[in-house]
Amino acid sequence: MAGRRVNVNVGVLGHIDSGKTALARALSTTASTAAFDKQPQSRERGITLDLGFSCFSVPLPARLRPGPEAGAGAGAGQLQFTLVDCPGHASLIRTIIGGAQIIDLMMLVIDVTKGMQTQSAECLVIGQIACQKLIVVLNKIDLLAEEKRQAAIDKMTKKMQKTLENTKFRGSPIIPVAAKPGGPEAPETETPQGISELIELLKSQASIPTRDPSGSFLMAVDHCFSIKGQGTVMTGTILSGSVNLGDSVEIPALKVVKKVKSMQMFHTPVTSAMQGDRLGICVTQFDPKLLERGLACTPESLHTIHAAIVSVKKIPYFRGALQTKAKFHITVGHETVMGRVMFFSPAPDQFDCEPLEETFDFGKEYLYQEQYLSKDSTTAEEDKKSDQPVEKWPKQQWALLEFEKPVTCPKLCLVIGSKLDTDIHANTCRLAFHGKMLQGLEDKNYTETFLPKLKVYKLKHKEGLVERMDLTLTPRSF
Ligand SMILES: Nc1nc2c(ncn2[C@@H]2O[C@H](COP(=O)(O)OP(=O)(O)OP(=O)(O)O)[C@@H](O)[C@H]2O)c(=O)[nH]1
Ligand SMILES: [Mg+2]
C-alpha cells in the first residue's frame, strides 16, 4: 500500500436530532472539497443498519509521523478519520453502546439551543466507560440570533465545561458549528460553518491509536451483502487481533466457518488487517440474509455462556439502589440479554484490597449483599452506628449474572447493566452499572457444577435489614 495510513475511529453521538448525521456529512464533504484531502473521498451509508460509516482523510500531521526522514515529501502518509454515526433515539441505546466500543474518540453533538438532553447524558456516561477522548460539538449555531450568537455560545460552552467537570473528560475541547445551516429546507449549497476548524481540532486531538495485532481475531460486523459473481461481503470494525487473506473465520451466531477470499479497506484491496481497521471481508457460499449484524472471529475463540462473574461499578447518575435478584438488560460485548444479578463484596476486613482488574480469586471468601454497596444505599441506621463512615465502601465489588438465554462473547469483555424498560421520557439515566467479564460459565448446569466453588456467605444478622432497604429506592426510577 502506498504511504502510511493511520485510521482513527471517531464516534458521533448525541441526543436525537442534534445533527449527528448532518455533521458527519458536512465533515466528509468539507474534507473532500478542501485542500487537505488528496484521497478520493469515500462514504458508505448503510440502509439496514443504524450505525452509519463514512470516512475522510487529511495529510498525516507532522507530530504523528514516525521520524524526520519519513516526514519529507508528499508520501508522508494519511490520517484517516472513520466516522461512526450513531443513532440518537433512546430505543437504540444498544446500538449506541455497540458503536461506542469501536471508537477512539467521541464527538458529543449538542444542539446549542437545547443544551444537555437526556440522551446526551447517556452518551456521556457510555463515553466515560468505553472511550478515552472527547470533543463537544455545539451544533446549530445558525439558529442563534446573530447579535447574541457569541454570548450564547460562550454561555453554553461554560455550561458544558461545568458538566464535564465531574467526568473524566474535564477540560475537553468544545467547538461551535452549524452542520446544516437553515435546517432541512435550506439548499444544499448553504455552506456549513465551523467545519474546517473542527477538522483542525480533530487533527490536533488525534493520536496514533495503540493497536495490537496479537490474540484472536474479532470483528463487529455491521453490514452484510452480496456482490454478484464475487460472494458475500461482511463489513465491520476489527475489535481485536488481525486477519489475513485465506484465514478461516467463524460466524459464531450461526456456527459456520468460512475462508477469507478477499478483503478491502475503504475500497482498497488488502491482504491483512488488524485491530481498529474498518474492513470488508468477502467469503463465498454464505447467504447475507442470515446475518445483519453480529460477530466474526477466529474459529472457536468466543465462548457461549449462561452466567458470569463480573466486576461491577455503579453508574452514579442512576437513581436508586442496585438490588440483588433484580433483573437488568445486560449488554455483554455486543449482545444484550435479560439477566438477574447477585451482588457480593469482599469480606469487611478486605474492603481496602486493591482491585483485581482482569481476574477473579476463587480462593477467597466473599460477602453476599442484598444490594450494591454505595454511599446512597446506606441506611441512616447504619450511618449512625459508624463513627467513621469514610472507609466503609469496598474498592471493588462483583456480581453473579444469570442470563435468561445464553450469550456469545469474548473473554474480559465490557458489561453494561441497564433498565431499558424505564420510560424514555422520564428524563433519568437508564444505565445502572458497568464492569468487566471476569469469568464466563459455559456449563448449562453451572448451579451444580460451578457455583459451589464460589464462596459467597451471608451474614445472618444482616437479614433483619432487608425490609428497610426499600426506603432507599426511588420507585419512580424503576
Ligand atoms: N438550523 C440547523 N438545522 C440543522 C443543523 N444540523 C442539523 N440540522 C437539522 O436538524 C435535523 C436533525 O438532523 P440530523 O443530522 O438528522 O440529526 P441526528 O442527530 O443525526 O438525528 P438522529 O440520527 O435521528 O438522532 C434535520 O432536520 C437537520 O436538517 C444546523 O446546523 N442548523
Ligand atoms: Mg442521524
Side-chain angles (χ1 to χ4, degrees), residues 252-411:
L254 306 169
K255 305 240 178 309
V256 298
V257 175
K258 295 281 164 194
K259 263 207 161 49
V260 178
K261 192 183 151 206
S262 64
M263 299 193 294
Q264 284 196 356
M265 280 177 8
F266 281 105
H267 305 307
T268 312
V270 292
T271 53
S272 71
M274 68 159 148
Q275 190 187 46
D277 286 335
R278 194 146 166 82
L279 183 72
I281 289 183
C282 184
V283 299
T284 52
Q285 288 162 2
F286 176 62
D287 181 358
K289 288 197 201 79
L290 296 175
L291 185 76
E292 187 178 306
R293 170 165 317 153
L295 295 170
C297 62
T298 302
E300 297 186 9
S301 59
L302 298 190
H303 58 345
T304 299
I305 57 174
H306 297 266
I309 293 172
V310 300
S311 62
V312 185
K313 277 202 184 109
K314 187 180 177 207
I315 290 168
Y317 309 98
F318 183 77
R319 288 204 218 137
L322 304 178
Q323 297 281 12
T324 278
K325 294 191 185 138
K327 277 187 183 176
F328 288 88
H329 286 88
I330 300 180
T331 306
V332 186
H334 289 256
E335 268 193 69
T336 301
V337 287
M338 288 304 289
R340 192 179 285 282
V341 297
M342 180 196 77
F343 294 104
F344 57 97
S345 73
D349 61 338
Q350 308 267 311
F351 270 22
D352 289 335
C353 277
E354 285 308 314
L356 283 176
E357 295 293 340
E358 309 217 321
T359 52
F360 182 77
D361 187 349
F362 284 94
K364 285 193 173 161
E365 292 197 332
Y366 298 92
L367 188 57
Y368 172 90
Q369 297 291 349
E370 291 287 349
Q371 59 175 300
Y372 179 90
L373 296 178
S374 66
K375 271 193 185 132
D376 52 308
S377 68
T378 333
T379 61
E381 189 72 10
E382 278 174 283
D383 264 348
K384 258 189 252 157
K385 267 192 264 167
S386 165
D387 295 333
Q388 297 156 306
V390 191
E391 287 304 315
K392 278 175 63 177
W393 293 278
K395 289 196 170 164
Q396 188 172 26
Q397 295 178 63
W398 301 268
L400 171 71
L401 304 179
E402 302 188 82
F403 305 121
E404 285 191 353
K405 60 179 188 142
V407 278
T408 302
C409 61
K411 300 193 163 111

Side-chain angles (χ1 to χ4, degrees), residues 17 19-22 45 85-88:
D17 270 355
K20 300 176 288 298
T21 304
R45 288 272 313 154
D85 177 16
C86 293

Side-chain angles (χ1 to χ4, degrees), residues 14-25 50 85-89 109 111 139-143 177-185 193:
H15 195 81
I16 188 162
D17 270 355
S18 52
K20 300 176 288 298
T21 304
L23 182 69
R25 193 168 295 146
D50 5 14
D85 177 16
C86 293
H89 194 272
V109 184
D111 181 333
N139 188 31
K140 308 197 184 183
I141 55 164
D142 59 299
L143 294 180
V177 304
K180 180 95 177 62
E185 311 306 329
Q193 299 163 22

